[in-house]
């Protein structure tokens, strides 16, 4: 862990490399000193594994001395190595996970908002971390659950907590279908429970609550996916993709929910609780939904949509999954575009052609449809342009450097990418293959 004050300036990293060849001009030294003075006024607190190295690197900067940066080194704690995943991104729940999940409910943060201020009503002395709960505590609590059960009331607070963080972004795109399955299976289990356990006005009230939550989080997934992934393709010239992908995600989740409902009606003792002392798990909808997903996966491999619904959306579930992963990868390629500037620009066209050819097999194996295949093909030229835009942006920075420091002209590329040469080389390879 590093906790302290740290100043950073983009020139400092280059100072040590430059000092043996170029003596800083007096004006440059004065500007650097001014920058460093400003940096000392900035507090920087960081938790990382690079504390000592960062402190020493910046304290020994060549252009001007920095004061020693205090830091504290802590012993490794494996609790800090855990991935902070949303419930919808986590592995299936075991029985022990379910017990711990119920145990931790007594340590929930409770409170209310007064304007923008959160007022906690929790007992601060009752805060616990899951990793601090001992096995003996869990076993004692499990025995209480065996004796007393969970009761008939649905824990809607727990449902909402589990459905938090359903937004999609490029950073969690690999969990897209898992999130859709998480929501759809939880809906199916709760709908079955409400239909079995409640009647009359209470049944209607519980179903209204469920439908409201299902609609809310379905929209969350669909909107965030469409804005992120559909927005990426629209940025490549494919207009209308945001709305088409939103509609497709909504249909996909509805299809999955319908599929889970039908499977649940025929699955029997899918959670294998008959004859078990843990009958309380029959009231644990999070655990049941997890077991339902596992059962569906084991029986069918993939959740199958209703055949009657397969034509109601522009893109299928397979299209959407591939679209998300491809967009995440391609967006990163554009942002981090790199190229050997000493190589002929025509070789960049050959590189693009290879990327295009390398797409064919994954798309075939993923089973994407013709409409999505056309989307990829139609957007590839724009992808090339965006990639070259990134390269040209860096070259323009080189031009500015050379204009300011003419002696750097021989070491930096200042000619923009010859796009016509790139296009010709790309087309030549594609025609040949």
């Amino acid at each position: 862990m590093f906790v302290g004050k740290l100043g950073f300036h983009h020139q400092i990293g280059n100072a040590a490399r430059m000092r043996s060849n170029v003596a800083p001009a007096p004006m440059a030294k004065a500007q650097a000193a001014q920058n460093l003075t400003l940096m000392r006024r900035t507090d920087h607190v960081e938790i990382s594994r690079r504390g000592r190295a960062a402190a020493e690197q910046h304290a020994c900067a060549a252009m001007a001395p920095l004061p020693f940066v205090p830091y504290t080194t802590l012993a490794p704690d494996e609790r800090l190595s855990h991935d902070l995943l949303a419930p919808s991104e986590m592995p299936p729940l075991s029985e022990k996970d379910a017990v711990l999940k119920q145990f931790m409910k007594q340590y929930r943060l409770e409170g209310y908002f007064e304007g923008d201020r959160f007022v906690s009503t929790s007992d601060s002395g009752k805060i616990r971390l899951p990793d601090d709960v001992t096995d003996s505590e869990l076993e004692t609590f499990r025995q209480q659950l065996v004796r007393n059960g969970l009761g008939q009331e649905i824990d809607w607070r727990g449902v909402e907590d589990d459905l938090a963080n359903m937004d999609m972004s490029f950073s969690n795109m690999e969990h897209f279908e898992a999130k859709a399955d998480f929501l759809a299976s939880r809906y199916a289990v709760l709908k079955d429970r409400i239909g079995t356990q409640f009647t009359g006005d209470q049944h209607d009230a519980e179903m209204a609550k469920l439908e409201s939550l299902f609609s809310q989080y379905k929209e969350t997934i669909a909107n965030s996916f469409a804005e992120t992934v559909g927005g990426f393709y629209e940025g490549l010239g494919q207009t209308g993709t945001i709305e088409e992908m939103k509609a497709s995600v909504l249909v996909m989740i509805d299809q999955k929910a319908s599929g889970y409902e039908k499977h649940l009606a025929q699955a029997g003792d899918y959670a294998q609780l008959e004859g078990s002392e843990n009958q309380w798990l029959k009231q644990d909808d999070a655990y049941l939904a997890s077991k339902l997903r596992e059962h569906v996966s084991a029986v069918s491999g993939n959740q199958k949509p209703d055949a009657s619904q397969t034509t109601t959306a522009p893109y299928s579930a397979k299209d959407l999954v591939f679209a998300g992963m491809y967009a995440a990868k391609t967006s990163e390629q554009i942002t981090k575009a790199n190229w050997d500037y000493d190589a002929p620009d025509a070789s960049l066209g050959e590189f693009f052609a290879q990327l295009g050819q390398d797409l064919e097999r994954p798309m075939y194996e993923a089973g994407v449809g013709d409409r999505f295949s056309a989307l990829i093909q139609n957007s590839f030229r724009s992808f090339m342009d965006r990639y070259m835009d990134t390269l040209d942006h860096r070259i323009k920075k080189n031009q500015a450097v050379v204009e300011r420091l003419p002696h750097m002209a021989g070491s930096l590329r200042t000619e923009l990418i010859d796009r016509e040469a790139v296009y010709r080389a790309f087309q030549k390879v594609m025609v040949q293959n």
Side-chain angles (χ1 to χ4, degrees):
M1 173 183 284
F2 165 78
V3 180
K5 292 185 177 182
L6 178 66
F8 180 77
H9 188 268
H10 70 279
Q11 294 292 348
I12 290 179
N14 296 325
R17 292 194 295 273
M18 295 172 60
R19 62 182 174 178
S20 61
N21 299 319
V22 182
M27 184 174 294
K29 292 182 67 175
Q31 183 62 50
Q34 181 181 357
N35 289 338
L36 292 171
T37 299
L38 291 173
M39 284 152 37
R40 292 192 186 102
R41 301 173 186 166
T42 303
D43 285 348
H44 177 96
V45 179
E46 174 182 317
I47 299 176
S48 76
R49 297 177 180 176
R50 69 184 186 98
R52 183 189 296 270
E56 293 177 353
Q57 174 188 350
H58 292 280
C60 298
M63 297 181 72
L66 281 171
F68 178 72
V69 183
Y71 61 87
T72 301
T73 301
L74 301 181
D77 187 335
E78 67 176 33
R79 292 177 300 177
L80 299 178
S81 66
H82 296 335
D83 290 332
L84 299 178
L85 298 176
S88 55
E89 300 172 5
M90 296 179 69
L93 291 175
S94 65
E95 179 186 318
K96 183 177 180 180
D97 294 331
V99 176
L100 179 60
K101 197 174 178 68
Q102 294 296 334
F103 181 89
M104 292 303 299
K105 288 181 179 181
Q106 60 192 309
Y107 301 105
R108 284 172 172 166
L109 179 63
E110 304 287 353
Y112 58 92
F113 280 95
E114 286 186 352
D116 295 334
R117 187 171 69 92
F118 180 76
V119 179
S120 174
T121 58
S122 301
D123 180 356
S124 59
K126 292 180 62 178
I127 295 175
R128 292 286 299 274
L129 293 175
D131 286 344
D132 292 337
V133 181
T134 66
D135 288 342
S136 61
E137 284 181 291
L138 274 187
E139 177 56 24
T140 299
F141 186 75
R142 188 192 70 81
Q143 292 174 6
Q144 294 175 6
L145 291 173
V146 170
R147 290 193 302 270
N148 304 326
L150 284 178
Q152 298 297 303
E153 184 178 352
I154 295 175
D155 178 19
W156 289 113
R157 162 72 186 274
V159 175
E160 293 192 64
D161 286 348
D162 284 349
L163 294 177
N165 301 313
M166 296 295 276
D167 296 81
M168 296 305 309
S169 67
F170 285 145
S171 65
N172 67 354
M173 197 56 66
E174 70 273 19
H175 298 293
F176 165 59
E177 190 166 24
K179 285 179 177 288
D181 281 310
F182 187 88
L183 176 61
S185 60
R186 191 67 167 268
Y187 172 82
V189 165
L190 283 167
K191 183 176 181 180
D192 178 71
R193 177 179 174 182
I194 292 170
T196 302
Q197 186 174 310
F198 302 108
T199 58
D201 291 343
Q202 188 174 5
H203 170 275
D204 294 343
E206 297 293 303
M207 277 303 304
K209 178 68 172 177
L210 175 59
E211 294 294 349
S212 175
L213 287 177
F214 182 59
S215 177
Q216 174 186 339
Y217 290 106
K218 186 170 62 171
E219 289 282 337
T220 297
I221 297 176
N223 284 328
S224 57
F225 183 92
E227 291 296 330
T228 301
V229 179
F232 171 77
Y233 291 107
E234 289 209 5
L236 296 181
Q238 307 308 300
T239 58
T241 311
I242 291 177
E243 287 303 317
E244 290 177 348
M245 288 196 168
K246 177 182 177 179
S248 299
V249 172
L250 292 174
V251 169
M252 181 190 79
I253 297 174
D254 283 339
Q255 290 175 351
K256 285 181 175 291
S258 176
Y260 279 118
E261 287 182 60
K262 291 181 178 179
H263 188 92
L264 181 59
Q266 304 169 1
D269 185 24
Y270 64 91
Q272 298 182 335
L273 293 176
E274 296 302 328
S276 165
E277 67 176 353
N278 293 316
Q279 294 301 297
W280 63 273
L281 285 170
K282 291 183 177 180
Q283 298 295 91
D284 189 329
D285 50 89
Y287 180 79
L288 292 180
S290 179
K291 289 302 175 185
L292 179 60
R293 293 192 297 275
E294 286 188 272
H295 197 264
V296 167
S297 179
V299 171
S300 62
N302 292 291
Q303 183 64 28
K304 302 296 190 297
D306 289 345
S308 61
Q309 295 179 321
T310 55
T311 60
T312 61
Y315 299 108
S316 69
K318 292 179 179 179
D319 294 337
L320 294 170
V321 171
F322 193 93
M325 295 304 295
Y326 178 73
K329 178 181 178 181
T330 306
S331 176
E332 184 177 19
Q333 286 178 317
I334 291 172
T335 303
K336 300 180 178 179
N338 197 13
W339 186 247
D340 179 3
Y341 290 122
D342 293 329
D345 288 352
S347 61
L348 181 56
E350 296 168 357
F351 166 73
F352 286 138
Q354 188 62 53
L355 285 182
Q357 292 170 355
D358 289 345
L359 264 177
E360 295 177 4
R361 184 174 183 82
M363 289 176 66
Y364 173 78
E365 292 177 346
V368 301
D370 292 340
R371 181 168 184 163
F372 179 71
S373 295
L375 178 74
I376 294 294
Q377 293 169 5
N378 294 337
S379 63
F380 198 82
R381 173 67 177 264
S382 293
F383 157 69
M384 293 167 55
D385 286 333
R386 291 276 302 279
Y387 194 102
M388 290 187 284
D389 287 344
T390 302
L391 298 179
D392 279 345
H393 179 70
R394 293 175 186 162
I395 293 172
K396 289 177 181 178
K397 287 186 175 181
N398 291 347
Q399 293 173 344
V401 171
V402 170
E403 184 177 352
R404 190 172 66 253
L405 303 171
H407 65 274
M408 299 292 291
S411 59
L412 298 175
R413 172 167 176 165
T414 55
E415 300 84 15
L416 299 180
I417 300 294
D418 184 350
R419 301 198 180 202
E420 289 305 316
V422 173
Y423 299 144
R424 286 195 300 269
F426 172 80
Q427 193 63 32
K428 181 178 179 181
V429 174
M430 298 302 289
V431 170
Q432 290 175 347
N433 294 276

